[in-house]
Amino acid sequence: MSFATGLLCRECGTAYPAEARYSCEYCFGPLEVSYDIEGAKGVVTRESIANGPNSIWRYGALLPDPGVEPVDLGAGWTPLRRASRLADVLGVKELWLKDDTRNPTGSFKDRVVSVALSSARRLGFSTAACASTGNLATSVAAHAAFIGWPSVAIIPSDLEKSKVAMTAIFGGTVLGVEGNYDDVNRLCVELVAEHPDWAFANVNLRPYYAEGSKTLAFEICEQLGWRTPDQVVVPVASGSQLTKVAKGFREFIELGLVDGDAPVLFGAQATGCSPIATAFAEGADVVTPQRPNTIARSLAIGNPADGPYVLDELRANGGDCGSVPDSEILECIGLLARTEGVFAETAGGVTIASLRQMINRGTIDPDKSIVAIISGHGLKTLDAVVDTATFSSTISPSLADAEEALRFHQLVSSAS
Ligand SMILES: *Cc1c(COP(=O)(O)O)cnc(C)c1O
Ligand SMILES: [Zn+2]
C-alpha cells in the first residue's frame, strides 16, 4: 500500500487528488506528490522495507500508488560501493559510488519511468511518451515494450547513435527532432495539449515520474546501514533528480528510519551546459537559459525546469555546484574506470570531475563521508571514448612481437 495522499502545488500549496495533472490551476506552479508521513510512522519500518523486493518497489509505501501492480522491470537496488582507491587519488577519507549504471536499461531513468508508467496505467493511460536527452527515451521504450504499450520517444536527431539504437530496438516510435532538447521539450508541451491521452513521463506525468528519484536517497541510507551520508554529489540536467533526492532524505529522517542529519547536496554540470552552476556562483535566484554544447548529452538541458528548486537545495546547508569542461569529463571517465572498475557514461565523468573540483576548492569536506551518484553506463556514450580507449599496440601473431610489445609496455623487464 502507498501512503501517497495526492498532489500539492509547490508554490501556493493547493491540494489536488492523485490525477493526471502537472501544474496548478491557480498559479501554474509545479505539483508534487504528498504523503501521510504521520500515518506511515511505525507502519513503514526498516524491517518492512528490508522484506520488500530487490527493486525500487521495496519503498512502494513512499511512492505514488502503482494501482494493481507496479510496472517493474527491475529498476533500482543498485550497488553502493566503497571507492577506496579513487578516494586515495582524490585525497578524501570515505567515498562511496552509487552505481546506477546497473539498471535494466543502464541508467537511473529506469527508476523514474517505473514510477511514471505505474501511475499512468493506474490513471487509465495506454500510450507512453517522453521528451528526452536519450536515457529517458530508452527507458520509456523498454518499459512500454515490457507491458505491451505503444511508445513515442522524442529526442534530438543528433544524439549518440548508441542511444538512438538502444531506444529504437524496443520497437516503439522514435522521432528525431532537428533541434536541441529545449526545442524537443517545447514541442512536447504542445503535443500534450493535442494528445492528453498520452502519458508523457516527464511532462503530464512529471509529478509521479519525479518521485522515482527519491529511491536513490532511500537506498543510499539503507545500504549505509540506515544512516545518512554527510555529502552527496548529484548530476544535474532538469534538476528533478537532485530535488527529489533531497526530498527522499527528508522523508526518511521525518519517519525516524535513519540516523544522522540531511546531507549537504552538491550539483554537477558540464561547463557546456551549466546554467545552474552559473546561477549558483553568481548568487542569482533565477536561472538564465544557456544553449548547450557539451559531450554530456544526457545533462544537456539549457533551460532546467527545476532550476530554482535546485538552487534552494544547494543553498540550504552549504552545498555547491561543479562546472567541468569536456576534457575533464573524459579524463574522469578514465580515472573512475581505472581506479574502481566502473565504466560510466559522460554524466558519470561530470560527477567525478565536479567532485574533484569541489574538493579542490574546499566546499566538499575531505574528512566527511561522500556519496557520488554514477547515473549511466559507459556503453551509452561509447563514441566519447572509442578514439582514446583503444589497443595498447597492434602486433603480428608472433612470440617475438608479443614479447617486444610487453617490454615496451613495461610488463616484463627489458634487461637482456
Ligand atoms: C536524466 C539524467 C540525469 C539527471 O536528470 P534530471 O533531469 O536532473 O533529473 C542524470 N544522469 C543521467 C545519466 C541522466 O540520463
Ligand atoms: Zn499553485
Side-chain angles (χ1 to χ4, degrees):
M1 86 174 267
S2 165
F3 284 90
T5 50
L7 300 171
L8 272 187
C9 173
R10 289 203 64 155
E11 292 300 324
C12 75
T14 302
Y16 298 91
E19 59 195 21
R21 176 190 294 279
Y22 62 105
S23 70
C24 179
E25 256 176 30
Y26 302 101
C27 75
F28 301 106
L31 304 183
E32 184 169 69
V33 178
S34 55
Y35 297 84
D36 176 15
I37 296 287
E38 283 307 311
K41 280 184 186 164
V43 182
V44 181
T45 62
R46 293 177 180 182
E47 294 70 34
S48 73
I49 290 170
N51 287 332
N54 287 335
S55 76
I56 59 166
W57 294 101
R58 66 202 283 107
Y59 309 106
L62 304 174
L63 292 173
D65 176 8
V68 182
E69 87 182 294
V71 177
D72 187 6
L73 197 49
W77 202 237
T78 60
L80 182 75
R81 305 172 195 284
R82 185 79 189 255
S84 304
R85 286 163 43 77
L86 180 57
D88 286 348
V89 173
L90 297 176
V92 298
K93 252 193 197 141
E94 183 184 345
L95 176 63
W96 300 83
L97 302 175
K98 182 58 174 161
D99 185 4
D100 247 25
T101 69
R102 300 268 297 258
N103 270 304
T105 71
S107 89
F108 109 97
K109 288 297 194 304
D110 292 323
R111 298 176 183 273
V112 286
V113 169
S114 179
V115 176
L117 291 198
S118 297
S119 288
R121 191 161 65 176
R122 175 181 65 81
L123 291 165
F125 289 92
S126 56
T127 299
C130 67
S132 173
T133 57
N135 289 330
L136 176 60
T138 302
S139 186
V140 163
H143 282 82
F146 175 62
I147 56 173
W149 282 17
S151 66
V152 186
I154 306 179
I155 54 179
S157 59
D158 66 347
L159 272 195
E160 298 98 331
K161 276 196 167 135
S162 45
K163 284 189 179 162
V164 177
M166 274 192 77
T167 305
I169 200 72
F170 295 108
T173 300
V174 183
L175 295 185
V177 174
E178 293 161 359
N180 62 28
Y181 174 81
D182 298 290
D183 299 317
V184 168
N185 190 48
R186 218 175 306 118
L187 172 62
C188 284
V189 171
E190 288 174 23
L191 280 170
V192 166
E194 295 295 317
H195 304 277
D197 54 329
W198 291 1
F200 280 81
N202 57 336
V203 186
N204 52 344
L205 273 294
R206 191 171 181 86
Y208 304 101
Y209 159 97
E211 290 295 294
S213 289
K214 291 190 314 190
T215 59
L216 278 163
F218 296 160
E219 288 178 21
I220 289 167
C221 290
E222 186 176 353
Q223 290 168 321
L224 285 174
W226 303 102
R227 70 178 167 99
T228 56
D230 298 318
Q231 308 171 96
V232 183
V233 184
V234 188
V236 175
S238 74
S240 174
Q241 179 180 148
L242 189 142
T243 49
K244 298 307 169 183
V245 163
K247 186 175 188 244
F249 284 119
R250 278 196 292 271
E251 286 177 0
F252 255 31
I253 289 169
E254 221 185 313
L255 280 164
L257 287 172
V258 68
D259 302 321
D261 299 324
V264 184
L265 293 189
F266 296 85
Q269 294 206 298
T271 304
C273 185
S274 51
I276 292 176
T278 301
F280 181 84
E282 291 173 348
D285 292 326
V286 290
V287 175
T288 307
Q290 177 183 354
R291 182 169 287 275
N293 180 17
T294 169
I295 57 168
R297 299 298 304 268
S298 55
L299 303 182
I301 297 184
N303 189 8
D306 291 299
Y309 301 115
V310 173
L311 292 173
D312 289 346
E313 296 296 348
L314 296 178
R315 288 171 179 149
N317 48 4
D320 189 7
C321 190
S323 166
V324 291
D326 286 359
S327 57
E328 290 183 28
I329 295 170
L330 287 174
E331 181 206 336
C332 286
I333 291 174
L335 175 65
L336 175 64
R338 288 193 308 276
T339 53
E340 297 296 338
V342 173
F343 182 25
E345 72 147 87
T346 45
V350 171
T351 297
I352 298 301
S354 293
L355 165 66
R356 182 173 68 181
Q357 182 180 76
M358 293 185 282
I359 292 166
N360 289 342
R361 70 170 167 242
T363 46
I364 290 185
D365 186 338
D367 295 322
K368 292 189 172 158
S369 63
I370 307 165
V371 175
I373 295 177
I374 306 301
S375 51
H377 199 287
L379 287 174
K380 288 172 165 282
T381 57
L382 211 48
D383 285 4
V385 298
V386 280
D387 292 334
T388 48
T390 184
F391 302 112
S392 305
S393 296
T394 308
I395 59 168
S396 74
S398 81
L399 184 59
D401 256 23
E403 289 293 344
E404 191 192 325
L406 295 178
R407 271 195 301 278
F408 179 77
H409 296 295
Q410 297 179 350
L411 276 161
V412 294
S413 112
S414 50
S416 60

